[in-house]
Amino acid sequence: MARFSPLTASIPLLFSLMSASFTAQGNNQLPDIGTAGVAALPIEQEVRYGNAFMRFARAGLPVIDDPVLNQYIDDLGQRLLTNADGVRFPFTFFLINDPSINAAAFLGGRVKIHTGLFLYADSESELASVLAHEITHVTQRHIARYLESQASSTAMTLAGLAGSIALAVINPTAGIAALQTTLGLSMQSAINYTRDNEYEADRIGMKTLYDAGFDPSGMATFFQKLAAEYRYASKPPEMLLTHPLPETRIAEARARAASYGTRNLAPSLDFWFAKVRIQTRFGTERQAALLTFFEQRIAKGDYPQKDAALYGKALVLLQLKRIDEADLIMKDLASRHPEDLFILDGQTDIDLAKGRASQAIARLEQFRRRMPDNEVVVINLGNAYLESGNAAKAIAILDPYAREHEENSLTWGLLADAYRKAGRMEELHMARAETLSLRGDYQAAIDELIVARGTTSNKLSLARIEARITELEREKKALESLKM
């Protein structure tokens, strides 16, 4: 299931190869990894490489910044991690607006999930099975094992590999072809090498899935469905191109799930809320067609979660500017699910659309007293204060959150807008610099800090700006060395 063989393994492979060049200047060979290959890549270094990859991802992939979806996939991932062995650092789960059925794990616990995978899954256990599989690739250090297999790569090969990685991030199909040319590997040889990793990720991933309280048959069901639907397709999904599902793998998953026993779980409401949100906000179907779809499913009563269909209808109505109708549905949903963050976010959008910022603020402040560090609450509340014209209050809420969650680009963007509206130019340019640095655009970030430096004569502020410029210059140099 994981996109590990030549594509996902190659990105961390590039990182390790660059690391070798840092420590062995004239030596074109990788350090001797030996049988204890894990020791060749210290955890701290793996985390740094994962951070660098996120810069590449934000610059080259359509990362979705949606606080409700971010919260959902993070909660799902953390539930699995709590029940996984070998977790050595925090993980980051992020969503990519891509209709292909795929997910991928990278160094440093970075796991991307395509919207297509979300839409294809029919239960939370199916989706969780993919995340459990990806988590296992990281915790079992499969990437380090792949590095060991490539220990004889030459400097010339590495240069070609670097270009292939950059291409692979933007265009996976072309990137895989380039990697095969660069490394001289056939697709089949790469798949053969990682097959044991795949079975291990299935086995350990299913245990994690079960221990986290999900239905272990979700993995087998997902495998069977995927294999059956695309068995004779002229263009199967990318996941099957790099990770075929032979009958033995499907049979093993079925047998293993049976040994655990099936769990008859009720459909997860938040899973269906998330699926509907992706379908309505990031799908390709026209809003009018979606409205008809949800209305028909509500009338027939055959949607897995009726309230999710109602939520989908409300989102479509909101986008169609039929706000009063959306408002009635969302209020009805809130009466049954008063603590649900999907509903809270929807109510906020409707309140702001109807000019009821004060009502949204009052509700969100109540949530904030119970959930002071919740992304959905903080971002919605900061935005509501901005919409009400109270930039100072927005700053008071968003600034500490942004500094505590430095990789949250949505918060930095809102904070920059708040500083602009408050006329605080120094902080505006500093917030813009943070947003740019998260995309790896360090020179533009440094330029913003230089502008910020020109807006103040305060010695403490100047010292802080100079220190940040120095940090960004160091990060810029490190990132450029990885890009080669």
Side-chain angles (χ1 to χ4, degrees):
M1 285 179 63
R3 275 186 43 221
F4 175 74
S5 85
L7 181 56
T8 54
S10 60
I11 292 176
L13 174 58
L14 167 65
F15 295 159
S16 186
L17 295 175
M18 297 304 99
S19 164
S21 69
F22 299 157
T23 57
Q25 293 287 325
N27 185 354
N28 290 334
Q29 299 295 320
L30 275 171
D32 183 13
I33 295 177
T35 55
V38 171
L41 188 62
I43 295 300
E44 296 78 8
Q45 194 170 14
E46 179 172 347
V47 171
R48 287 197 300 271
Y49 291 159
N51 292 343
F53 172 76
M54 281 306 297
R55 269 65 180 170
F56 294 138
R58 288 194 187 94
L61 295 173
V63 176
I64 290 176
D65 278 324
D66 182 303
V68 193
L69 293 173
N70 288 347
Q71 187 75 56
Y72 173 75
I73 61 173
D74 184 65
D75 287 347
L76 184 63
Q78 297 306 321
R79 178 176 167 185
L80 292 164
L81 287 169
T82 300
N83 293 276
D85 295 324
V87 180
R88 299 169 177 85
F89 36 67
F91 274 57
T92 299
F93 302 89
F94 61 103
L95 195 61
I96 300 295
N97 191 5
D98 188 321
S100 63
I101 303 169
N102 221 334
F106 297 90
L107 284 170
R110 307 293 183 154
V111 181
K112 73 170 184 173
I113 305 162
H114 289 202
T115 51
L117 175 65
F118 226 115
L119 294 173
Y120 189 78
D122 285 324
S123 72
E124 190 170 52
S125 291
E126 287 187 13
L127 177 65
S129 76
V130 180
L131 269 64
H133 180 104
E134 300 301 337
I135 287 169
T136 304
H137 274 312
V138 178
T139 59
Q140 295 303 112
R141 308 302 301 277
H142 288 160
I143 297 168
R145 300 181 198 181
Y146 185 80
L147 295 177
E148 186 173 335
S149 77
Q150 296 297 320
S152 61
S153 297
T154 66
M156 183 177 295
T157 300
L158 303 186
L161 178 61
S164 300
I165 300 308
L167 177 60
V169 171
I170 304 301
N171 187 332
T173 302
I176 289 173
L179 286 166
Q180 291 178 60
T181 300
T182 302
L183 295 175
L185 295 174
S186 69
M187 178 68 74
Q188 190 58 48
S189 67
I191 291 171
N192 287 341
Y193 172 74
T194 63
R195 186 163 289 150
D196 287 344
N197 294 160
E198 290 300 295
Y199 279 89
E200 184 173 55
D202 290 347
R203 176 175 57 83
I204 298 175
M206 186 175 289
K207 181 180 183 303
T208 299
L209 187 71
Y210 178 80
D211 290 346
F214 294 101
D215 181 3
S217 67
M219 183 178 287
T221 301
F222 186 84
F223 282 177
Q224 289 176 262
K225 185 171 61 174
L226 194 64
E229 184 165 340
Y230 292 99
R231 191 178 303 277
Y232 304 110
S234 58
K235 189 178 180 181
E238 199 171 276
M239 183 176 286
L240 291 185
L241 291 176
T242 53
H243 292 79
L245 279 172
E247 185 56 39
T248 53
R249 188 177 171 198
I250 298 173
E252 283 192 22
R254 280 200 303 263
R256 193 173 297 115
S259 72
Y260 282 108
T262 300
R263 282 189 172 125
N264 295 315
L265 303 176
S268 163
L269 181 61
D270 274 355
F271 166 77
W272 285 99
F273 277 163
K275 182 166 179 168
V276 161
R277 188 176 181 90
I278 290 173
Q279 187 178 3
T280 56
R281 297 206 166 178
F282 303 101
T284 57
E285 200 166 355
R286 295 173 64 88
Q287 295 298 310
L290 282 172
L291 182 60
T292 299
F293 167 77
F294 287 121
E295 287 178 337
Q296 289 177 344
R297 300 301 296 270
I298 292 166
K300 292 179 180 178
D302 62 353
Y303 205 65
Q305 281 279 7
K306 179 182 178 182
D307 281 353
L310 287 167
Y311 174 69
K313 180 179 178 180
L315 292 182
V316 173
L317 288 170
L318 181 59
Q319 293 188 59
L320 292 173
K321 308 299 182 186
R322 292 164 59 177
I323 300 170
D324 289 340
E325 296 172 72
D327 192 18
L328 289 173
I329 295 173
M330 205 66 75
K331 283 178 178 176
D332 177 52
L333 289 171
S335 69
R336 291 193 297 280
H337 312 288
E339 299 297 311
D340 195 281
L341 295 175
F342 283 93
I343 304 304
L344 174 67
D345 181 89
Q347 285 183 293
T348 303
D349 286 346
I350 291 171
D351 281 340
L352 296 181
K354 291 179 72 68
R356 302 187 310 220
S358 59
Q359 182 170 313
I361 289 169
R363 182 188 305 110
L364 288 161
E365 286 287 10
Q366 290 181 354
F367 272 83
R368 186 178 173 224
R369 284 192 283 273
R370 302 193 304 276
M371 308 175 184
D373 196 49
N374 182 277
E375 178 180 358
V376 178
V377 175
V378 171
I379 289 178
N380 271 282
L381 183 55
N383 185 55
Y385 273 118
L386 268 180
E387 290 292 320
S388 73
N390 194 340
K393 189 65 176 178
I395 291 168
I397 292 166
L398 295 170
D399 185 85
Y401 186 85
R403 298 185 190 286
E404 185 69 23
H405 304 82
E406 294 179 349
E407 289 199 6
N408 193 307
S409 59
L410 181 58
T411 308
W412 283 113
L414 277 175
L415 189 55
D417 192 28
Y419 282 134
R420 179 184 60 79
K421 290 181 178 178
R424 295 167 59 173
M425 294 299 103
E426 175 194 336
E427 291 99 329
L428 163 64
H429 293 292
M430 292 184 73
R432 284 178 177 172
E434 297 307 318
T435 302
L436 290 164
S437 72
L438 288 174
R439 298 203 299 264
D441 195 350
Y442 288 113
Q443 189 53 58
I446 291 168
D447 290 343
E448 287 287 346
L449 290 176
I450 291 171
V451 174
R453 187 173 61 190
T455 66
T456 182
S457 58
N458 181 280
K459 290 184 178 180
L460 184 60
S461 294
L462 289 171
R464 184 176 61 170
I465 292 169
E466 289 297 340
R468 188 58 179 142
I469 289 174
T470 300
E471 288 177 350
L472 291 183
E473 285 175 340
R474 185 168 58 248
E475 291 176 19
K476 177 174 179 280
K477 187 175 295 185
L479 195 66
E480 286 174 347
S481 68
L482 292 176
K483 291 179 180 178
M484 282 192 64

